[in-house]
Structure formats: structure tokens, C-alpha cells
Amino acid sequence: MAGPGEPPEGTPEGVPGSSDDEYGSVVFDESFVRAARLQEFSARERMRDHAQAVRSRSPWARIGAPRQVLVLVLLVALAFGTAVYMGVRHPYKETPPPAADPLRTTLIPLAPTGPVAGSSARDLFDHSPAAQFSEGSEGVTLPAARKTQHFSESQVLGALAAAKEYVVKSSLDPQVLTGGDTRATRVLLDPSQLAQYDQSLAHPEDDGRHAATGWLVRFDPAKVALADAPVRVRGTLTVTESAGALEVTADHTFVYPLRPARAGHGAAAGADQVSLFTVRREMRFRFDRDDLRDHHIEVAQANVQAGPESCAADAAGYLRPLLAGERAKDEGPAGTDPYATGRTTASLCGVLAAGALPTPTGRR
């Protein structure tokens, strides 16, 4: 029996809804219409001259919203890639830190007025102004660190500690004193001063810039040997802030007990005779923020007074101490000719005061 609304003999052919309808399963919805490649013009558009009946739609127009999303994704990816590239390889070069000023050096030999006293190291020290000096690095003491206007207390302490390390290694290290390895001093320097340092040690000159003895204390091992006694030291370290940097001034007096080398230098006084050689070093160090961060030091100035030493001694490469029993062979510094051309050298010399000389028991 047929259901309600259906003829007993079934749905006739040609009637919409028939199961044999060839286009019954096709639904002409809105998305189907938008996807059509050909679109019929409206009646108003067809009334225009030379108007075609239909127009062709671009494949991109049929994509619609997905195309906009794709373009947006491409733009975001391009912006992200550009940002990464600019962050890794930007066209602007960073300004390099300013180079340190070259070291300026003044060397002043102190000539004795008589023969150099000789005795045992203990006897000499006990009867000299260095009797109460500390031994070795104990004489290089750090003051209390206080913050400055633009530098913290820890930064000030770091500058003082670095200055002390340089003073100790350049003035008390036996390898440095006897003309040996100086790398322990070199590694402390600002990289921009290394060329000047290397030239000063390889080709020392008394020109105020390239004296090896401005950077460190050293003796010619072929002529001088260290006596078996500690070096006596006394001095101060002070710190100030200037022009956006910390300046540390190290003012120390070192008293070295020396004897002739085994080669026979000074044999008239005897190989067992020890003499004292006094060096006063006024060193000025500079620390900017890069130096403090990288643990480097700029040696700005070195004023060195050393004796007993002859005024005519060439002390640019090595200090030239007069040993026990020796006396200065000149009466004063060589004259300076203002009419001479070429590089000028400072002709400075002082006289070693009598009160600075030891008076061992044998000479009292």
C-alpha cells in the first residue's frame, strides 16, 4: 500500500523529486555559484556597449578568504625573517672602545757621591732607612675601598686589586727581575698597549715611550744577581675618579739586595758582598668600565728613580746598579745640545742623598 501523498503507481517520470532525475543530487548553493569560472553579467551590464554575456572569474577571486590568510602569513613570515636578519647581521658597526694612551716614562738615575757600601743583607737592612719596611708583597697593601660618584665600591676594589697585582708582578717576581719571562705582567695590560709593551722589551729606548724599565723592574742577569734575602717594600695605593674612569696611583719604594753575578762583575768587592739598590716607582693606572669588566689595566705613567746608579748608564733596557765597592765614574748628567736634530732624550740625573745610603757596621 502506498504511503500518503504518493500515487499508487509511484512517482511519474519528469516530475521533480523523481529518483531518475539526472540533476537531482546537484545543489546550486551560494558556494557553488561563487566557484563558477564564468559568471553572467546582469541585465544592466549587458545593456552597455560591447558588453559580453558572461565574464571570466580569476582563480584568486574564487579563493576568497583563504587567499587573504595566505598573504597575511607570508607577510608575517617576511617580517619575522627580516627582524632575525637585522638582529644577527645589522648594517651598523659597533663603535670600538677607545684605545688606551701610550705609557709615558721618566727615568732618573741617582748617583752616589762615594763608593757603594757592601756587607751582608741583614746588616745593610738593619742600618738603612728600609729597616722597618715590609718584606715582599706584604709591603703592597690595599686601602679601604669606597665608592665614587660613578663607580661602586666593588669596582673601586677591583681597580685597586688589579693595580696591586701589576705592582707585585712587575717589581717583585724573580723571573721579571732577572730578565726572564714577563708574560705574567703582559697578560694584565689593556690589548691596545701590547704593541708598545712588546716594542719596549724587544728594542728599549730612553725616549719616554719605549723604556722597558718603565713597565717593570729588571736587572741584567749577566752582571747582577739577587741576594738570598727578601726585597723590602713600603708604599701606598690611592684611587680617584677622573673623566669617567678610575685612576689608581701606586707610589712604592723597593729596596733590592744585590750581589755580583758569577761572571765576576764587581770582583774587587768580593762575591759575598751584598749591596742595596733602591727603586722608587710612581705608577699611574687608568681603568674604564671595559677594563674593569675584562680585568685589564692601562699603565698611563711611570716615574722611576733608581740608585746607586751612574748618570751615564743606559737604563732603558735594564737598570744598571752600582754594586758593593763601586763608585760613579761621572760627576753629573751629560749635557743636552738644543741645536742637535733628531729624537731628543731626557738627560736627567740626581744625587743619592747620604741619608738614603746604608751605614753597615763595618763603615761606622
Side-chain angles (χ1 to χ4, degrees), residues 37-41 46 51-57:
R37 295 187 61 183
L38 297 178
Q39 185 180 41
E40 185 178 3
F41 286 106
R46 290 197 301 271
Q52 299 179 357
V54 296
R55 59 168 169 257
S56 176
R57 302 187 63 188

Side-chain angles (χ1 to χ4, degrees), residues 20-353:
D20 294 333
D21 189 352
E22 182 179 358
Y23 304 102
S25 59
V26 178
V27 179
F28 296 97
D29 55 9
E30 184 178 356
S31 62
F32 179 85
V33 174
R34 285 201 305 267
R37 295 187 61 183
L38 297 178
Q39 185 180 41
E40 185 178 3
F41 286 106
S42 64
R44 183 182 301 275
E45 292 172 331
R46 290 197 301 271
M47 291 176 62
R48 298 174 184 169
D49 293 339
H50 310 294
Q52 299 179 357
V54 296
R55 59 168 169 257
S56 176
R57 302 187 63 188
S58 170
W60 288 108
R62 291 181 281 114
I63 295 176
R67 178 198 178 193
Q68 298 177 2
V69 173
L70 178 61
V71 172
L72 180 61
V73 171
L74 290 175
L75 290 176
V76 171
L78 180 61
F80 180 76
T82 302
V84 171
Y85 175 81
M86 294 294 290
V88 175
R89 294 187 59 186
H90 54 80
Y92 305 104
K93 296 182 179 179
E94 295 182 0
T95 303
D101 293 332
L103 168 66
R104 300 189 302 275
T105 302
T106 301
L107 302 176
I108 303 178
L110 303 177
T113 56
V116 177
S119 184
S120 67
R122 181 168 183 175
D123 187 23
L124 292 171
F125 277 127
D126 289 345
H127 299 91
S128 76
Q132 303 303 318
F133 283 16
S134 300
E135 295 184 354
S137 60
E138 294 179 359
V140 186
T141 58
L142 294 179
R146 295 181 176 86
K147 68 179 182 179
T148 64
Q149 183 177 2
H150 300 101
F151 292 89
S152 66
E153 180 179 325
S154 62
Q155 289 175 316
V156 173
L157 181 59
L160 288 169
K164 174 181 177 178
E165 184 179 8
Y166 187 91
V167 169
V168 169
K169 290 185 176 180
S170 65
S171 308
L172 297 172
D173 187 340
Q175 285 287 327
V176 173
L177 295 177
T178 56
D181 192 356
T182 62
R183 285 177 295 180
T185 303
R186 188 181 189 274
V187 297
L188 301 176
L189 295 175
D190 185 283
S192 60
Q193 288 191 314
L194 293 179
Q196 184 190 10
Y197 178 85
D198 293 339
Q199 183 177 349
S200 299
L201 268 65
H203 305 286
E205 294 186 53
D206 187 11
D207 60 356
R209 287 289 190 270
H210 299 98
T213 47
W215 297 96
L216 41 81
V217 177
R218 68 175 184 171
F219 307 106
D220 186 351
K223 299 179 179 181
V224 180
L226 301 175
D228 189 15
V231 180
R232 300 291 181 93
V233 185
R234 175 178 285 180
T236 60
L237 286 167
T238 57
V239 61
T240 58
E241 180 181 337
S242 175
L246 290 175
E247 290 190 356
V248 177
T249 301
D251 186 357
H252 292 84
T253 300
F254 303 87
V255 185
Y256 300 91
L258 304 176
R259 60 173 176 79
R262 296 301 179 185
H265 180 69
D272 294 334
Q273 289 287 298
V274 174
S275 60
L276 299 184
F277 187 73
T278 304
V279 178
R280 181 179 177 183
R281 301 182 77 200
E282 295 179 83
M283 308 288 294
R284 185 165 61 85
F285 306 103
R286 184 180 184 276
F287 299 86
D288 57 25
R289 297 188 180 277
D290 292 332
D291 293 323
L292 294 172
R293 182 195 62 214
D294 300 332
H295 304 288
H296 289 148
I297 187 169
E298 299 178 23
V299 187
Q301 189 168 359
N303 298 323
V304 181
Q305 303 174 29
E309 192 173 33
S310 175
C311 289
D314 181 7
Y318 296 101
L319 295 176
R320 309 288 183 178
L322 295 171
L323 302 177
E326 296 182 332
R327 63 172 67 232
K329 296 179 180 180
D330 47 44
E331 296 179 355
T336 301
D337 183 2
Y339 295 96
T341 59
R343 179 179 297 165
T344 60
T345 59
S347 182
L348 301 175
C349 187
V351 176
L352 191 60

Side-chain angles (χ1 to χ4, degrees), residues 11-24:
T11 304
E13 294 183 3
V15 178
S18 170
S19 58
D20 294 333
D21 189 352
E22 182 179 358
Y23 304 102

